[in-house]
Amino acid sequence: MFLLADKPDGFWFPPQASTFAAEVDWFFFAVTYISLAFFVLIVAFMIYFMYAFRQRPGYKGSPEALHNNALEIGWTVVPTIIAVWIFAQGVVGYLDMMEAPTETMNVDVEAKKWAWSFTYPTTGVTTNELHLVIDKPAKMTLRSIDVLHSFFVPAFRAKMDVVPGRYTNIWFQPTKLGTYDLFCTEYCGDNHSKMAAKVFVQTQEEYDAWMAKEVLPPEDPVKWGEKLYAKSKGCASCHSIDGKKVVGPSFLNSWGGDVQLAGGGTEKFDENYVRESVLYPQKKSRAGYETASQMPSYQGRLKEEEISALIAFLKSLKN
Ligand code: CUA
C-alpha cells in the first residue's frame, strides 16, 4: 500500500526524529485511508442511488423499506471490527509512550508564561534550550508554575500537557541529529504563540562539550547576568533589552532613571528596586502595565548571587 508516511521526511509531516514517529505516522495514515475508503464508497453508492431511483415518468418506487439480513449484519460487523482494531492499536501505542525505559537521561521541564526552562538534575544546569543525545531515551518531568501549558515536539510526535500543581511525564528516544522545534500547544495567554524553544539532538561528545561549558557560570558578572536573563531564567520572554515593549517594560537605558509607579509617584531604578521587583513583582508595579499579565515572583528561584549578576547585567544596558 502506498503510504505517505513511508517517506522519512514526508511532504505532509515534519521529519521523523524519534522512535515513536514512524509508528504514529503509520497509524495516522492507516486511519486516514480507512476513512477515505469508506467516504468514497458511501458517496459512490449515494450518487448511484440518486441516479437509479430518480423520479421519472412511468417509474414507481417501492412502497416499503426492504430488509436484507446479510447487508445489516455486514455493515454492523465490519465497522465494529475496524473500530476495535483502531482502539486496540491506540491503547498499545499509548502504553508504549507512557512506559519509559528504566535507563533514561532525565530533564526537569518548567513551563511558565511564556517560556520553557530545562534543568538537568545531574549537573543542575538550567537553560532555555533542550539538549538531548541521539539514540538515548530521555524522560521529561513537566511542571507549570502558572497555568496549563502543553509540551509538543512535532518531530518526535510527542506531546504532553503541563499542569499546574502536579507533575506529568513524557519520554522519547531521538533518532536523528539536528535542531527541532518545541511548541506550547495549550492556549495560555497573550504570548502563547511565542512560547517555543529549540531542541538539539547531539552526539554524546557534542552534548558533553556543551554541558561542560554550561556547568561553569561565567566569571564576568555581566556575562553571567546576561545568561540568566536571556537563557536560564527566561526574563527575556517578557522584558526586552532593545526598548521594545513585549509584555513588561524594556530595560534599555533604565538604570538610574525614574520609574512611574501604578499607584502614583516615582521610584529610582537601582539595585534595591530591581531586587524587590524580582522577589515581589506586584509591590511597586509600573504605571501603564495595569492590564499586563502579572509577573511571577522569583522568590526561591533565584539565588542572591544570581540577583546580583542580573543587576550587573541591567546596569550594563545603560550606554
Ligand atoms: Cu504555554 Cu501556550
Side-chain angles (χ1 to χ4, degrees):
M1 180 160 52
F2 169 70
L3 281 178
L4 292 164
D6 288 343
K7 294 185 201 161
D9 290 304
F11 171 70
W12 301 104
F13 279 179
Q16 298 179 332
S18 84
T19 50
F20 296 146
E23 217 177 316
V24 168
D25 291 359
W26 180 86
F27 191 46
F28 178 89
F29 282 105
V31 172
T32 305
Y33 289 132
I34 290 170
S35 310
L36 199 67
F38 277 98
F39 176 77
V40 169
L41 190 74
I42 289 166
V43 170
F45 271 117
M46 215 169 69
I47 291 169
Y48 168 73
F49 290 147
M50 278 162 66
Y51 177 77
F53 303 111
R54 71 195 184 283
Q55 192 176 26
R56 55 190 188 267
Y59 173 77
K60 263 190 90 189
S62 164
E64 66 199 45
L66 298 169
H67 191 79
N68 184 320
N69 265 334
L71 258 184
E72 293 277 353
I73 293 169
W75 70 40
T76 307
V77 170
V78 171
T80 304
I81 291 172
I82 293 172
V84 168
W85 177 79
I86 290 173
F87 176 75
Q89 289 287 315
V91 169
V92 170
Y94 176 78
L95 292 178
D96 279 351
M97 286 178 167
M98 287 301 103
E99 201 59 43
T102 41
E103 283 290 307
T104 53
M105 70 177 275
N106 298 314
V107 184
D108 293 334
V109 181
E110 182 189 271
K112 69 156 190 274
K113 294 189 290 183
W114 289 278
W116 296 98
S117 68
F118 306 94
T119 303
Y120 299 79
T122 47
T123 56
V125 163
T126 299
T127 174
N128 62 344
E129 306 162 337
L130 180 56
H131 287 250
L132 301 170
V133 177
I134 187 165
D135 294 328
K136 217 171 173 187
K139 185 177 164 189
M140 313 286 116
T141 303
L142 309 157
R143 70 195 165 86
S144 163
I145 64 160
D146 41 43
V147 299
L148 206 58
H149 301 274
S150 187
F151 175 102
F152 181 35
V153 182
F156 295 167
R157 311 294 190 269
K159 187 194 252 181
M160 179 52 72
D161 275 0
V162 190
V163 186
R166 61 169 295 183
Y167 294 107
T168 50
N169 289 295
I170 187 170
W171 80 277
F172 35 74
Q173 184 172 335
T175 53
K176 220 172 156 186
L177 296 173
T179 307
Y180 305 101
D181 289 313
L182 187 162
F183 298 113
C184 177
T185 44
E186 188 71 57
Y187 181 68
C188 55
D190 297 353
N191 281 11
H192 156 72
S193 60
K194 296 205 184 104
M195 190 170 164
K198 290 283 174 209
V199 182
F200 297 89
V201 177
Q202 300 170 301
T203 61
Q204 185 73 53
E205 295 73 48
E206 285 169 344
Y207 174 85
D208 291 342
W210 167 78
M211 183 56 87
K213 235 173 60 210
E214 289 296 310
V215 166
L216 308 167
E219 278 173 23
D220 176 357
V222 174
K223 284 242 168 64
W224 186 17
E226 183 177 13
K227 197 166 150 186
L228 294 166
Y229 189 93
K231 296 186 88 181
S232 34
K233 300 299 172 184
C235 315
S237 62
C238 293
H239 299 281
S240 81
I241 52 170
D242 60 2
K244 239 191 261 146
K245 181 174 169 177
V246 186
V247 176
S250 173
F251 295 137
L252 180 71
N253 286 328
S254 290
W255 193 266
D258 282 333
V259 166
Q260 299 287 332
L261 299 184
T266 58
E267 183 80 20
K268 198 166 167 139
F269 193 103
D270 60 7
E271 286 89 346
N272 283 316
Y273 175 75
V274 170
R275 185 168 182 281
E276 187 183 59
S277 299
V278 160
L279 300 177
Y280 313 100
Q282 273 71 55
K283 215 162 164 183
K284 287 187 185 139
S285 56
R286 291 210 198 188
Y289 292 88
E290 289 83 355
T291 55
S293 179
Q294 290 204 338
M295 171 167 160
S297 165
Y298 277 77
Q299 243 184 105
R301 302 170 62 219
L302 276 174
K303 297 188 203 101
E304 285 298 331
E305 314 86 82
E306 292 177 321
I307 296 177
S308 301
L310 278 171
I311 287 171
F313 172 64
L314 293 179
K315 255 185 212 173
S316 77
L317 298 177
K318 192 178 166 72
N319 49 32

